[in-house]
């Protein structure tokens, strides 16, 4: 059995090529057409809240956080989250999400929002956002819009447009 030497680090520019490769491998060319990608195109992600996992020095997973205004909530959009196939199903993605959400909490984010699979993200603290409460810049399945509310009254204020905030 292979022993993994996993290290979780804050993303920096030296990880860009490996992250692009991991996301291409995980999501293919269709990743650029998704509604969440339209938000990410509006401005840069927050490097201080974006993380990678390395195994014996090789970047094998990443998660990024993009600052957003969702209705009146100053939060972060989580994603993409991707893990190399060689390292799937051993908890790396869940740990990256945990690290990113906790970092957002410490930085004062009001919420962490994503478009994802409720059975995967629910046990990580994500809750469904009210149906069609947020208007994305493209089609999105409203049943997959999830949030970790950090501040008071987040669910009530998640109404309207979601967009990048600088």
């Amino acid at each position: 059995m292979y022993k993994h030497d996993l290290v979780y680090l804050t993303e920096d520019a030296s990880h860009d090529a490996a992250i692009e490769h991991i996301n291409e491998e995980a999501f293919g060319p269709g990743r650029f057409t998704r509604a969440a990608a339209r938000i990410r195109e509006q401005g840069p992600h927050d490097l201080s809240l974006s993380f990678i996992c390395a195994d014996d020095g090789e970047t094998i997973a990443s998660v990024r956080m993009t600052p957003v205004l969702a209705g009146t909530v100053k939060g972060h959009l989580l994603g993409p989250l991707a893990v190399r196939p060689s390292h799937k199903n051993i908890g790396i993605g869940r740990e990256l999400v945990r690290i990113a959400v906790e970092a957002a909490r410490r930085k004062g984010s009001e919420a962490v929002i994503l478009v994802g699979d409720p059975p995967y993200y629910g046990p990580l603290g994500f809750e469904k956002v009210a149906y069609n409460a947020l208007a994305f810049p493209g089609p999105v399945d409203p049943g997959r819009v999830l949030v970790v509310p950090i501040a008071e009254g987040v669910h009530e204020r998640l109404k309207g447009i979601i967009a990048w905030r600088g």
Side-chain angles (χ1 to χ4, degrees), residues 54-84:
D55 186 1
D56 197 26
E58 177 191 358
T59 301
I60 51 88
S62 77
V63 65
R64 287 181 164 168
M65 297 275 270
T66 301
V68 293
L69 185 62
T72 62
V73 175
K74 292 179 181 175
H76 287 85
L77 181 68
L78 186 144
L81 168 68
V83 180
R84 299 280 324 264

PDB file of all heavy atoms in Angstrom, residues 54-84:
ATOM      1  N   ALA A  54      -0.354  18.853  -1.457  1.00  0.00           N
ATOM      2  CA  ALA A  54       0.776  18.258  -2.154  1.00  0.00           C
ATOM      3  C   ALA A  54       1.091  16.910  -1.523  1.00  0.00           C
ATOM      4  O   ALA A  54       0.946  16.720  -0.315  1.00  0.00           O
ATOM      5  CB  ALA A  54       1.990  19.185  -2.069  1.00  0.00           C
ATOM      6  N   ASP A  55       1.496  15.984  -2.378  1.00  0.00           N
ATOM      7  CA  ASP A  55       1.927  14.665  -1.933  1.00  0.00           C
ATOM      8  C   ASP A  55       3.366  14.487  -2.394  1.00  0.00           C
ATOM      9  O   ASP A  55       3.633  14.465  -3.601  1.00  0.00           O
ATOM     10  CB  ASP A  55       1.031  13.573  -2.532  1.00  0.00           C
ATOM     11  CG  ASP A  55       1.353  12.182  -1.992  1.00  0.00           C
ATOM     12  OD1 ASP A  55       2.249  12.056  -1.133  1.00  0.00           O
ATOM     13  OD2 ASP A  55       0.699  11.222  -2.430  1.00  0.00           O
ATOM     14  N   ASP A  56       4.261  14.423  -1.437  1.00  0.00           N
ATOM     15  CA  ASP A  56       5.687  14.282  -1.730  1.00  0.00           C
ATOM     16  C   ASP A  56       6.148  15.362  -2.715  1.00  0.00           C
ATOM     17  O   ASP A  56       6.882  15.095  -3.656  1.00  0.00           O
ATOM     18  CB  ASP A  56       5.971  12.879  -2.274  1.00  0.00           C
ATOM     19  CG  ASP A  56       7.459  12.526  -2.204  1.00  0.00           C
ATOM     20  OD1 ASP A  56       8.177  13.081  -1.347  1.00  0.00           O
ATOM     21  OD2 ASP A  56       7.889  11.701  -3.026  1.00  0.00           O
ATOM     22  N   GLY A  57       5.652  16.599  -2.507  1.00  0.00           N
ATOM     23  CA  GLY A  57       6.063  17.742  -3.306  1.00  0.00           C
ATOM     24  C   GLY A  57       5.266  17.990  -4.566  1.00  0.00           C
ATOM     25  O   GLY A  57       5.411  19.030  -5.201  1.00  0.00           O
ATOM     26  N   GLU A  58       4.399  17.063  -4.969  1.00  0.00           N
ATOM     27  CA  GLU A  58       3.588  17.228  -6.174  1.00  0.00           C
ATOM     28  C   GLU A  58       2.203  17.748  -5.801  1.00  0.00           C
ATOM     29  O   GLU A  58       1.532  17.172  -4.941  1.00  0.00           O
ATOM     30  CB  GLU A  58       3.443  15.889  -6.905  1.00  0.00           C
ATOM     31  CG  GLU A  58       2.564  15.978  -8.125  1.00  0.00           C
ATOM     32  CD  GLU A  58       2.196  14.618  -8.717  1.00  0.00           C
ATOM     33  OE1 GLU A  58       2.649  13.585  -8.199  1.00  0.00           O
ATOM     34  OE2 GLU A  58       1.421  14.615  -9.678  1.00  0.00           O
ATOM     35  N   THR A  59       1.755  18.830  -6.452  1.00  0.00           N
ATOM     36  CA  THR A  59       0.416  19.371  -6.224  1.00  0.00           C
ATOM     37  C   THR A  59      -0.607  18.393  -6.804  1.00  0.00           C
ATOM     38  O   THR A  59      -0.589  18.119  -8.000  1.00  0.00           O
ATOM     39  CB  THR A  59       0.265  20.751  -6.872  1.00  0.00           C
ATOM     40  OG1 THR A  59       1.253  21.628  -6.312  1.00  0.00           O
ATOM     41  CG2 THR A  59      -1.116  21.333  -6.623  1.00  0.00           C
ATOM     42  N   ILE A  60      -1.486  17.876  -5.938  1.00  0.00           N
ATOM     43  CA  ILE A  60      -2.431  16.852  -6.372  1.00  0.00           C
ATOM     44  C   ILE A  60      -3.897  17.257  -6.142  1.00  0.00           C
ATOM     45  O   ILE A  60      -4.798  16.501  -6.520  1.00  0.00           O
ATOM     46  CB  ILE A  60      -2.132  15.482  -5.708  1.00  0.00           C
ATOM     47  CG1 ILE A  60      -2.000  15.580  -4.176  1.00  0.00           C
ATOM     48  CG2 ILE A  60      -0.856  14.892  -6.268  1.00  0.00           C
ATOM     49  CD1 ILE A  60      -3.278  15.434  -3.457  1.00  0.00           C
ATOM     50  N   ALA A  61      -4.133  18.418  -5.542  1.00  0.00           N
ATOM     51  CA  ALA A  61      -5.502  18.871  -5.297  1.00  0.00           C
ATOM     52  C   ALA A  61      -5.489  20.365  -5.005  1.00  0.00           C
ATOM     53  O   ALA A  61      -4.479  20.905  -4.544  1.00  0.00           O
ATOM     54  CB  ALA A  61      -6.122  18.117  -4.126  1.00  0.00           C
ATOM     55  N   SER A  62      -6.643  21.002  -5.262  1.00  0.00           N
ATOM     56  CA  SER A  62      -6.739  22.425  -4.935  1.00  0.00           C
ATOM     57  C   SER A  62      -8.187  22.827  -4.716  1.00  0.00           C
ATOM     58  O   SER A  62      -9.114  22.166  -5.172  1.00  0.00           O
ATOM     59  CB  SER A  62      -6.141  23.290  -6.045  1.00  0.00           C
ATOM     60  OG  SER A  62      -7.026  23.385  -7.140  1.00  0.00           O
ATOM     61  N   VAL A  63      -8.328  23.925  -4.000  1.00  0.00           N
ATOM     62  CA  VAL A  63      -9.616  24.583  -3.837  1.00  0.00           C
ATOM     63  C   VAL A  63      -9.350  26.084  -3.868  1.00  0.00           C
ATOM     64  O   VAL A  63      -8.358  26.557  -3.312  1.00  0.00           O
ATOM     65  CB  VAL A  63     -10.346  24.182  -2.535  1.00  0.00           C
ATOM     66  CG1 VAL A  63      -9.599  24.640  -1.293  1.00  0.00           C
ATOM     67  CG2 VAL A  63     -11.773  24.717  -2.526  1.00  0.00           C
ATOM     68  N   ARG A  64     -10.236  26.800  -4.551  1.00  0.00           N
ATOM     69  CA  ARG A  64     -10.097  28.250  -4.626  1.00  0.00           C
ATOM     70  C   ARG A  64     -11.336  28.913  -4.045  1.00  0.00           C
ATOM     71  O   ARG A  64     -12.420  28.344  -4.053  1.00  0.00           O
ATOM     72  CB  ARG A  64      -9.890  28.700  -6.075  1.00  0.00           C
ATOM     73  CG  ARG A  64      -8.499  28.359  -6.566  1.00  0.00           C
ATOM     74  CD  ARG A  64      -8.244  28.810  -7.967  1.00  0.00           C
ATOM     75  NE  ARG A  64      -6.807  28.790  -8.245  1.00  0.00           N
ATOM     76  CZ  ARG A  64      -6.288  28.915  -9.452  1.00  0.00           C
ATOM     77  NH1 ARG A  64      -7.090  29.094 -10.499  1.00  0.00           N
ATOM     78  NH2 ARG A  64      -4.985  28.893  -9.623  1.00  0.00           N
ATOM     79  N   MET A  65     -11.140  30.145  -3.552  1.00  0.00           N
ATOM     80  CA  MET A  65     -12.229  30.938  -2.988  1.00  0.00           C
ATOM     81  C   MET A  65     -12.206  32.307  -3.670  1.00  0.00           C
ATOM     82  O   MET A  65     -11.178  32.983  -3.696  1.00  0.00           O
ATOM     83  CB  MET A  65     -12.033  31.104  -1.491  1.00  0.00           C
ATOM     84  CG  MET A  65     -12.082  29.795  -0.728  1.00  0.00           C
ATOM     85  SD  MET A  65     -13.741  29.318  -0.323  1.00  0.00           S
ATOM     86  CE  MET A  65     -13.885  30.125   1.260  1.00  0.00           C
ATOM     87  N   THR A  66     -13.374  32.693  -4.188  1.00  0.00           N
ATOM     88  CA  THR A  66     -13.524  33.962  -4.888  1.00  0.00           C
ATOM     89  C   THR A  66     -14.453  34.862  -4.081  1.00  0.00           C
ATOM     90  O   THR A  66     -15.534  34.428  -3.686  1.00  0.00           O
ATOM     91  CB  THR A  66     -14.123  33.714  -6.292  1.00  0.00           C
ATOM     92  OG1 THR A  66     -13.248  32.840  -7.009  1.00  0.00           O
ATOM     93  CG2 THR A  66     -14.290  35.011  -7.060  1.00  0.00           C
ATOM     94  N   PRO A  67     -14.047  36.107  -3.802  1.00  0.00           N
ATOM     95  CA  PRO A  67     -14.921  37.011  -3.051  1.00  0.00           C
ATOM     96  C   PRO A  67     -16.149  37.377  -3.870  1.00  0.00           C
ATOM     97  O   PRO A  67     -16.032  37.736  -5.051  1.00  0.00           O
ATOM     98  CB  PRO A  67     -14.036  38.230  -2.777  1.00  0.00           C
ATOM     99  CG  PRO A  67     -12.972  38.199  -3.820  1.00  0.00           C
ATOM    100  CD  PRO A  67     -12.789  36.756  -4.201  1.00  0.00           C
ATOM    101  N   VAL A  68     -17.323  37.257  -3.258  1.00  0.00           N
ATOM    102  CA  VAL A  68     -18.574  37.568  -3.946  1.00  0.00           C
ATOM    103  C   VAL A  68     -19.490  38.397  -3.052  1.00  0.00           C
ATOM    104  O   VAL A  68     -19.384  38.376  -1.824  1.00  0.00           O
ATOM    105  CB  VAL A  68     -19.337  36.288  -4.384  1.00  0.00           C
ATOM    106  CG1 VAL A  68     -18.564  35.531  -5.460  1.00  0.00           C
ATOM    107  CG2 VAL A  68     -19.674  35.398  -3.210  1.00  0.00           C
ATOM    108  N   LEU A  69     -20.396  39.101  -3.712  1.00  0.00           N
ATOM    109  CA  LEU A  69     -21.535  39.714  -3.051  1.00  0.00           C
ATOM    110  C   LEU A  69     -22.743  38.940  -3.552  1.00  0.00           C
ATOM    111  O   LEU A  69     -23.000  38.880  -4.760  1.00  0.00           O
ATOM    112  CB  LEU A  69     -21.653  41.198  -3.407  1.00  0.00           C
ATOM    113  CG  LEU A  69     -22.754  41.956  -2.678  1.00  0.00           C
ATOM    114  CD1 LEU A  69     -22.508  41.958  -1.165  1.00  0.00           C
ATOM    115  CD2 LEU A  69     -22.852  43.385  -3.202  1.00  0.00           C
ATOM    116  N   ALA A  70     -23.434  38.288  -2.634  1.00  0.00           N
ATOM    117  CA  ALA A  70     -24.590  37.446  -2.962  1.00  0.00           C
ATOM    118  C   ALA A  70     -25.801  38.058  -2.275  1.00  0.00           C
ATOM    119  O   ALA A  70     -25.968  37.916  -1.057  1.00  0.00           O
ATOM    120  CB  ALA A  70     -24.353  36.022  -2.498  1.00  0.00           C
ATOM    121  N   GLY A  71     -26.622  38.755  -3.047  1.00  0.00           N
ATOM    122  CA  GLY A  71     -27.653  39.567  -2.411  1.00  0.00           C
ATOM    123  C   GLY A  71     -26.927  40.654  -1.644  1.00  0.00           C
ATOM    124  O   GLY A  71     -26.170  41.424  -2.226  1.00  0.00           O
ATOM    125  N   THR A  72     -27.092  40.684  -0.315  1.00  0.00           N
ATOM    126  CA  THR A  72     -26.344  41.649   0.510  1.00  0.00           C
ATOM    127  C   THR A  72     -25.282  40.960   1.361  1.00  0.00           C
ATOM    128  O   THR A  72     -24.721  41.575   2.266  1.00  0.00           O
ATOM    129  CB  THR A  72     -27.302  42.444   1.418  1.00  0.00           C
ATOM    130  OG1 THR A  72     -27.965  41.541   2.302  1.00  0.00           O
ATOM    131  CG2 THR A  72     -28.328  43.224   0.600  1.00  0.00           C
ATOM    132  N   VAL A  73     -25.003  39.701   1.076  1.00  0.00           N
ATOM    133  CA  VAL A  73     -24.030  38.924   1.857  1.00  0.00           C
ATOM    134  C   VAL A  73     -22.639  39.041   1.231  1.00  0.00           C
ATOM    135  O   VAL A  73     -22.452  38.731   0.047  1.00  0.00           O
ATOM    136  CB  VAL A  73     -24.451  37.437   1.929  1.00  0.00           C
ATOM    137  CG1 VAL A  73     -23.383  36.604   2.629  1.00  0.00           C
ATOM    138  CG2 VAL A  73     -25.781  37.303   2.650  1.00  0.00           C
ATOM    139  N   LYS A  74     -21.673  39.492   2.039  1.00  0.00           N
ATOM    140  CA  LYS A  74     -20.275  39.548   1.606  1.00  0.00           C
ATOM    141  C   LYS A  74     -19.643  38.206   1.955  1.00  0.00           C
ATOM    142  O   LYS A  74     -19.290  37.950   3.106  1.00  0.00           O
ATOM    143  CB  LYS A  74     -19.541  40.690   2.292  1.00  0.00           C
ATOM    144  CG  LYS A  74     -20.023  42.042   1.843  1.00  0.00           C
ATOM    145  CD  LYS A  74     -19.285  43.151   2.567  1.00  0.00           C
ATOM    146  CE  LYS A  74     -19.812  44.502   2.118  1.00  0.00           C
ATOM    147  NZ  LYS A  74     -19.212  45.596   2.878  1.00  0.00           N
ATOM    148  N   GLY A  75     -19.561  37.354   0.930  1.00  0.00           N
ATOM    149  CA  GLY A  75     -19.074  36.006   1.160  1.00  0.00           C
ATOM    150  C   GLY A  75     -18.019  35.596   0.168  1.00  0.00           C
ATOM    151  O   GLY A  75     -17.386  36.437  -0.477  1.00  0.00           O
ATOM    152  N   HIS A  76     -17.832  34.279   0.073  1.00  0.00           N
ATOM    153  CA  HIS A  76     -16.872  33.706  -0.858  1.00  0.00           C
ATOM    154  C   HIS A  76     -17.505  32.538  -1.593  1.00  0.00           C
ATOM    155  O   HIS A  76     -18.239  31.754  -0.990  1.00  0.00           O
ATOM    156  CB  HIS A  76     -15.614  33.240  -0.111  1.00  0.00           C
ATOM    157  CG  HIS A  76     -14.775  34.383   0.339  1.00  0.00           C
ATOM    158  ND1 HIS A  76     -15.008  35.055   1.523  1.00  0.00           N
ATOM    159  CD2 HIS A  76     -13.734  35.004  -0.264  1.00  0.00           C
ATOM    160  CE1 HIS A  76     -14.131  36.038   1.631  1.00  0.00           C
ATOM    161  NE2 HIS A  76     -13.348  36.022   0.565  1.00  0.00           N
ATOM    162  N   LEU A  77     -17.196  32.442  -2.884  1.00  0.00           N
ATOM    163  CA  LEU A  77     -17.633  31.329  -3.713  1.00  0.00           C
ATOM    164  C   LEU A  77     -16.527  30.285  -3.689  1.00  0.00           C
ATOM    165  O   LEU A  77     -15.393  30.571  -4.081  1.00  0.00           O
ATOM    166  CB  LEU A  77     -17.887  31.814  -5.134  1.00  0.00           C
ATOM    167  CG  LEU A  77     -18.389  30.774  -6.132  1.00  0.00           C
ATOM    168  CD1 LEU A  77     -19.812  30.325  -5.765  1.00  0.00           C
ATOM    169  CD2 LEU A  77     -18.353  31.346  -7.545  1.00  0.00           C
ATOM    170  N   LEU A  78     -16.852  29.087  -3.214  1.00  0.00           N
ATOM    171  CA  LEU A  78     -15.878  28.006  -3.141  1.00  0.00           C
ATOM    172  C   LEU A  78     -15.864  27.252  -4.458  1.00  0.00           C
ATOM    173  O   LEU A  78     -16.895  26.862  -4.974  1.00  0.00           O
ATOM    174  CB  LEU A  78     -16.231  27.050  -2.002  1.00  0.00           C
ATOM    175  CG  LEU A  78     -15.215  25.949  -1.707  1.00  0.00           C
ATOM    176  CD1 LEU A  78     -15.153  25.683  -0.217  1.00  0.00           C
ATOM    177  CD2 LEU A  78     -15.523  24.680  -2.468  1.00  0.00           C
ATOM    178  N   GLY A  79     -14.679  27.056  -4.995  1.00  0.00           N
ATOM    179  CA  GLY A  79     -14.516  26.252  -6.182  1.00  0.00           C
ATOM    180  C   GLY A  79     -13.610  26.925  -7.196  1.00  0.00           C
ATOM    181  O   GLY A  79     -13.359  28.120  -7.112  1.00  0.00           O
ATOM    182  N   PRO A  80     -13.118  26.173  -8.116  1.00  0.00           N
ATOM    183  CA  PRO A  80     -13.311  24.739  -8.194  1.00  0.00           C
ATOM    184  C   PRO A  80     -12.542  23.984  -7.112  1.00  0.00           C
ATOM    185  O   PRO A  80     -11.503  24.442  -6.644  1.00  0.00           O
ATOM    186  CB  PRO A  80     -12.791  24.375  -9.583  1.00  0.00           C
ATOM    187  CG  PRO A  80     -11.869  25.486  -9.970  1.00  0.00           C
ATOM    188  CD  PRO A  80     -12.332  26.704  -9.244  1.00  0.00           C
ATOM    189  N   LEU A  81     -13.092  22.854  -6.741  1.00  0.00           N
ATOM    190  CA  LEU A  81     -12.443  21.894  -5.850  1.00  0.00           C
ATOM    191  C   LEU A  81     -12.129  20.679  -6.713  1.00  0.00           C
ATOM    192  O   LEU A  81     -13.038  20.120  -7.324  1.00  0.00           O
ATOM    193  CB  LEU A  81     -13.376  21.504  -4.703  1.00  0.00           C
ATOM    194  CG  LEU A  81     -12.957  20.297  -3.862  1.00  0.00           C
ATOM    195  CD1 LEU A  81     -11.704  20.606  -3.054  1.00  0.00           C
ATOM    196  CD2 LEU A  81     -14.095  19.873  -2.939  1.00  0.00           C
ATOM    197  N   ALA A  82     -10.877  20.307  -6.797  1.00  0.00           N
ATOM    198  CA  ALA A  82     -10.506  19.168  -7.634  1.00  0.00           C
ATOM    199  C   ALA A  82      -9.341  18.403  -7.023  1.00  0.00           C
ATOM    200  O   ALA A  82      -8.437  18.996  -6.429  1.00  0.00           O
ATOM    201  CB  ALA A  82     -10.142  19.639  -9.039  1.00  0.00           C
ATOM    202  N   VAL A  83      -9.398  17.089  -7.194  1.00  0.00           N
ATOM    203  CA  VAL A  83      -8.371  16.173  -6.694  1.00  0.00           C
ATOM    204  C   VAL A  83      -7.962  15.252  -7.843  1.00  0.00           C
ATOM    205  O   VAL A  83      -8.830  14.760  -8.574  1.00  0.00           O
ATOM    206  CB  VAL A  83      -8.909  15.329  -5.510  1.00  0.00           C
ATOM    207  CG1 VAL A  83      -7.851  14.367  -4.990  1.00  0.00           C
ATOM    208  CG2 VAL A  83      -9.411  16.234  -4.386  1.00  0.00           C
ATOM    209  N   ARG A  84      -6.660  15.032  -8.001  1.00  0.00           N
ATOM    210  CA  ARG A  84      -6.181  14.106  -9.034  1.00  0.00           C
ATOM    211  C   ARG A  84      -6.815  12.733  -8.821  1.00  0.00           C
ATOM    212  O   ARG A  84      -7.002  12.296  -7.693  1.00  0.00           O
ATOM    213  CB  ARG A  84      -4.657  13.934  -8.971  1.00  0.00           C
ATOM    214  CG  ARG A  84      -3.813  15.162  -9.175  1.00  0.00           C
ATOM    215  CD  ARG A  84      -3.595  15.608 -10.600  1.00  0.00           C
ATOM    216  NE  ARG A  84      -3.469  14.593 -11.610  1.00  0.00           N
ATOM    217  CZ  ARG A  84      -2.318  14.114 -12.081  1.00  0.00           C
ATOM    218  NH1 ARG A  84      -1.161  14.525 -11.583  1.00  0.00           N
ATOM    219  NH2 ARG A  84      -2.325  13.223 -13.052  1.00  0.00           N
TER     220      ARG A  84
END
